[in-house]
Amino acid sequence: MREDSPAAERNRGPIAEALAPLLPPGGTVLEVASGTGQHAALLARRFPALCWQPSEADPAALAPLAARVRDAALPNLRPPLRLDVLSDALPAAAATLCINLLHIAPWAATQALVAKAPGALLLLYGPFLRAGLPTAPSNLAFDAELRGRDPGWGLRRLEDVAAEAAHHGWRPPAVTEMPANNLLLSFRR
């Protein structure tokens, strides 16, 4: 049975709007950790000049993700790849998109993603902490909940992510404020 994520349903429209001026005019966009595939299906429909390559590390999530891709029946939406950013090479792409992964994965996943991301554009969406700026109480509670589940999880400091990305040739990110205390980080080489 295919599942829907209420959060993905709420944020996919604003994400598409924010991505519109950032995405390349053509080529492949690799989505790392596609989850339910709700974003991939909407973005492939919204940006038909781009080929969308969803992926997922969790083998149990691949069948529902593949079903969503089949149901979408879009010529520019490829079947999902089983892809673990920690252990696999990433396929060639013009851009890499990762939505809501960094805070539910160990720091090593962030390091691997910024080191391996193909193309000239890396787009990261989710909640982040920022030095010198107040953090919404809901994000602090979410961070504590995540760290309670796994000490390696939690909201990442934007400055730490940017420093790690710089180590791998990415310029400082453009930061787009998004609904629900999320950010879209756009890194370019």
Side-chain angles (χ1 to χ4, degrees):
M1 180 172 157
R2 193 175 77 191
E3 292 186 24
D4 285 340
S5 162
E9 200 60 36
R10 280 190 308 274
N11 67 30
R12 66 188 193 146
I15 289 172
E17 293 300 318
L19 289 176
L22 302 172
L23 291 170
T28 297
V29 177
L30 170 65
E31 184 184 9
V32 174
S34 300
T36 64
Q38 288 165 264
H39 293 117
L42 172 80
L43 295 170
R45 186 171 288 107
R46 173 78 189 272
F47 303 103
L50 292 165
C51 181
W52 292 90
Q53 178 60 71
S55 70
E56 183 56 53
D58 179 3
L62 278 174
L65 175 55
R68 185 174 302 274
V69 168
R70 276 191 309 277
D71 290 351
L74 297 168
N76 64 325
L77 182 57
R78 292 182 179 161
L81 300 174
R82 185 183 183 292
L83 185 67
D84 185 333
V85 72
L86 288 169
S87 57
D88 298 327
L90 302 188
T96 304
L97 172 65
C98 185
I99 298 172
N100 284 328
L101 169 70
L102 303 186
H103 56 284
I104 57 168
W107 174 246
T110 300
Q111 293 172 309
L113 180 61
V114 300
K116 297 177 181 182
L121 178 63
L122 173 61
L123 300 155
L124 305 176
Y125 173 90
F128 293 89
L129 302 173
R130 293 193 278 181
L133 294 177
T135 302
S138 60
N139 273 5
L140 292 174
F142 185 45
D143 183 57
E145 176 190 337
L146 291 172
R147 292 181 191 281
R149 283 193 233 163
D150 185 316
W153 291 6
L155 275 59
R156 304 297 173 202
R157 286 179 13 116
L158 184 151
E159 295 78 13
D160 294 342
V161 175
E164 186 66 28
H167 181 69
H168 296 283
W170 297 101
R171 294 192 302 262
V175 178
T176 304
E177 301 275 344
M178 300 294 292
N181 303 310
N182 289 302
L183 300 175
L184 176 63
L185 309 182
S186 173
F187 293 90
R188 294 189 183 273
R189 293 195 222 247

